[in-house]
Amino acid sequence: RLLFSSASSSTLTHGEDAPPAQSDGVVDVNPPRGTRDFPPEDMRLRTWLFDQFREVSRLMAFEEVDFPVLESEALFIRKAGEEITQQLYNFEDKGGRRVVLRPEITPSLARLVIKQGKSVSLPLKWFTIGQCWRYERMTRGRRREHYQWNMDIFGVPKVRAEAELLQAIVLFFERIGITSTDVGIRVSSRKVLQAVLNMYSVPEHLFAAVCVIVDKLGKLSRDEIERELISTGLSSEAVQGIIEVLSLKSLSKLEEVLGPQDGAVADLKKLFSFAEQYGYADWICFDASVVRGLAYYTGIVFEGFDREGQLRAICGGGRYDRLLSTFGSEDIPACGFGFGDAVIVELLKEKGLLPDMSRQIDDIVFPLDEALEGPASNIASSLRKKGRAVDLVEDKRLKWVFKHAERINASRLILVGSSEWERGMVRVKILSTREEFEVKAGELE
Ligand SMILES: OCc1cccc(Br)n1
């Protein structure tokens, strides 16, 4: 009796022991809208990707941390009009608490730093890989969840932190075969925008909202951006001044506009000189239009992009020196980035850089008849205790076993047959060379 359907709707028989029925008595086996399952092959790719994230975090001497996916809604209530806070996957739990499936991880990191308080010594370098959520009307059919690698440094006020984070990103790209001809990292500072707003005496409280609007440059039309800026209360002179400065792509031009004493200019010059020393200068470029869309950035911001311009931002981050005070705590200078699991896979596919994701097993152990299932268990167990990955197969025809061995790329096939077993032996087949020989069962390595 078929109890499930992967089709979105079909009427099938269902019995008394059926799972809780949906409308037509059938459980939809697809995952909830906007979410993904990870069957083995997809999970192998994800595990490979996360292993690269972890290895770079280790090389950079970051410590792993983790948080609940469920957070208090209060952590994400911000008034700057960000897309991320307008698409909160939020609800009220059975205790009447307002909670969310987190849309990002930085606020959780900040919460833990505050909670740890004096018991942690600065600087802190923490990383995590976690699922993030948004509730977007499926009109655009975009996903509602993704996994994000987050690397954050707390307690380093100077651009050393940004330089370290950029090295982490470049190390990651290089590890997976992406080069600086495939990808670049646009770098700027929100202090550029701050300087322009000061020139036009735009009140400080509009800063975050202006950043969120300006981040849409390239996604919305220039007219749309100007309209949104005007409606925020900016004068048309201020709007023109913003658009003019943010179109700069040369640091020396920026210095001409803002002067050599300007904080943004000094930070960026320092960062670009560090880049030469780290050896990743050809990966980064100054682009004043980079502001990133999160309200809390206060300084250097950056985003990885594919130079062919076909994909959305690959990763992004920046400095957020005043996030902790929005949670009522003393501020600690901080800087971090998020790196999603989706765009990078699209890029790897495009560049033909997806790694081989086929299975690999050391040994298949196969009893040639039922009476030998006991000895086969003993052999599989002792091999596993020696660190061999063993697939114990039974109730199959030998022909199937050979096919299976090929399918899962087994190195050896260990056949437990009665004539050999009577002499305390088993037959070993090396699948790469077709070599075949007998071995004392107790001496199998
Ligand atoms: O990057 C924005 C975002 C946040 C949560 C989930 C997804 Br999918 N995307």
Side-chain angles (χ1 to χ4, degrees):
R1 277 172 315 141
L2 197 57
L3 292 178
F4 296 91
S5 148
S6 58
S8 49
S9 67
S10 67
T11 48
L12 295 160
T13 58
H14 60 281
E16 61 293 337
D17 56 351
Q22 287 183 340
S23 51
D24 49 5
V26 168
V27 172
D28 177 358
V29 290
N30 293 300
R33 296 189 68 162
T35 71
R36 299 164 290 174
D37 294 321
F38 286 87
E41 188 170 358
D42 297 348
M43 193 62 197
R44 284 195 289 273
L45 176 59
R46 179 178 128 183
T47 300
W48 168 82
L49 184 70
F50 289 14
D51 285 351
Q52 310 313 311
F53 289 155
R54 283 180 200 290
E55 176 55 10
V56 170
S57 304
R58 185 188 69 80
L59 294 171
M60 298 297 301
F62 276 57
E63 296 174 278
E64 187 164 13
V65 291
D66 196 11
F67 309 93
V69 177
L70 186 76
E71 279 280 10
S72 159
E73 187 180 43
L75 221 50
F76 305 95
I77 301 296
R78 303 194 290 255
K79 303 262 182 294
E82 301 148 279
E83 194 178 78
I84 205 168
T85 58
Q86 292 175 328
Q87 296 176 340
L88 285 178
Y89 211 124
N90 55 354
F91 55 98
E92 190 155 300
D93 73 9
K94 289 186 166 48
R97 292 175 201 82
R98 296 294 309 164
V99 289
V100 298
L101 297 180
R102 67 187 173 200
E104 55 168 336
I105 292 177
T106 302
S108 300
L109 283 157
R111 179 177 59 70
L112 184 58
V113 169
I114 296 168
K115 192 186 109 183
Q116 302 278 65
K118 302 280 177 276
S119 68
V120 288
S121 73
L122 299 176
L124 277 181
K125 303 193 295 185
W126 287 352
F127 85 93
T128 190
I129 303 169
Q131 194 173 36
C132 295
W133 294 80
R134 68 182 170 199
Y135 194 91
E136 186 176 54
R137 297 267 162 255
M138 284 312 271
T139 43
R140 296 208 285 188
R142 291 203 299 174
R143 278 187 296 100
R144 285 186 173 152
E145 55 76 25
H146 71 169
Y147 284 84
Q148 232 191 44
W149 172 40
N150 277 244
M151 293 271 275
D152 289 75
I153 299 175
F154 288 88
V156 176
K158 293 162 54 178
V159 296
R160 166 67 68 197
E162 289 89 334
E164 288 280 279
L165 293 173
L166 288 171
Q167 172 161 50
I169 292 171
V170 171
L171 282 176
F172 172 80
F173 282 131
E174 289 175 338
R175 284 183 65 79
I176 63 175
I178 298 283
T179 69
S180 57
T181 54
D182 301 317
V183 162
I185 304 173
R186 293 190 190 97
V187 181
S188 184
S189 170
R190 283 203 168 172
K191 290 179 184 171
V192 172
L193 192 53
Q194 187 98 53
V196 177
L197 296 186
N198 292 344
M199 279 179 207
Y200 295 94
S201 347
V202 173
E204 172 65 27
H205 73 271
L206 293 180
F207 178 64
V210 169
C211 289
V212 171
I213 294 167
V214 167
D215 178 57
K216 299 176 207 170
L217 270 170
K219 297 157 209 163
L220 294 185
S221 72
R222 179 165 161 162
D223 288 352
E224 181 57 37
I225 301 274
E226 290 183 12
R227 259 197 299 280
E228 288 194 27
L229 288 172
I230 297 283
S231 69
T232 309
L234 270 56
S235 66
S236 50
E237 293 77 17
V239 170
Q240 292 320 311
I242 288 170
I243 293 191
E244 196 179 308
V245 173
L246 291 191
S247 59
L248 291 179
K249 307 240 184 297
S250 127
L251 205 38
S252 46
K253 287 259 182 334
L254 183 76
E255 187 165 6
E256 283 169 29
V257 173
L258 298 185
Q261 303 311 319
D262 178 82
V265 172
D267 285 350
L268 288 161
K269 285 168 80 170
K270 180 81 186 155
L271 184 57
F272 277 82
S273 76
F274 273 147
E276 294 293 342
Q277 300 297 323
Y278 278 96
Y280 59 69
D282 52 352
W283 284 83
I284 64 173
C285 56
F286 170 70
D287 181 335
S289 68
V290 176
V291 289
R292 298 299 292 164
L294 293 171
Y296 46 72
Y297 288 135
T298 55
I300 298 271
V301 283
F302 48 86
E303 67 190 22
F305 67 98
D306 79 294
R307 292 190 190 272
E308 284 181 20
Q310 302 306 311
L311 303 172
R312 303 182 307 287
I314 303 166
C315 58
R319 177 164 290 278
Y320 52 98
D321 285 346
R322 288 197 290 283
L323 178 61
L324 274 63
S325 54
T326 66
F327 299 144
S329 167
E330 278 300 299
D331 271 326
I332 296 176
C335 188
F337 68 77
F339 200 126
D341 69 337
V343 178
I344 185 63
V345 169
E346 289 171 45
L347 180 67
L348 289 172
K349 278 179 187 155
E350 261 177 40
K351 302 290 180 187
L353 286 171
L354 280 182
D356 169 27
M357 282 295 111
S358 44
R359 285 183 72 177
Q360 207 291 312
I361 291 290
D362 296 327
D363 300 325
I364 291 175
V365 171
F366 178 61
L368 284 167
D369 60 54
E370 210 163 337
L372 293 164
E373 286 180 1
S377 320
N378 181 277
I379 289 161
S381 167
S382 69
L383 285 170
R384 285 166 176 161
K385 288 174 184 169
K386 290 170 185 164
R388 302 280 298 177
V390 176
D391 189 15
L392 177 49
V393 173
E394 58 190 32
D395 299 339
K396 291 288 182 187
R397 303 175 58 75
L398 191 53
K399 191 162 173 289
W400 183 93
V401 178
F402 278 108
K403 272 242 143 299
H404 178 61
E406 254 173 63
R407 245 193 337 266
I408 69 171
N409 296 307
S411 306
R412 297 187 308 185
L413 176 52
I414 293 155
L415 299 172
V416 187
S418 45
S419 60
E420 293 88 352
W421 187 248
E422 276 155 22
R423 291 178 284 108
M425 308 293 271
V426 291
R427 203 149 27 107
V428 178
K429 201 182 218 359
I430 307 298
L431 292 164
S432 54
T433 61
R434 295 253 168 272
E435 208 188 336
E436 195 167 331
F437 48 88
E438 287 191 355
V439 170
K440 276 208 180 78
E443 291 169 9
L444 255 182
E445 299 275 302

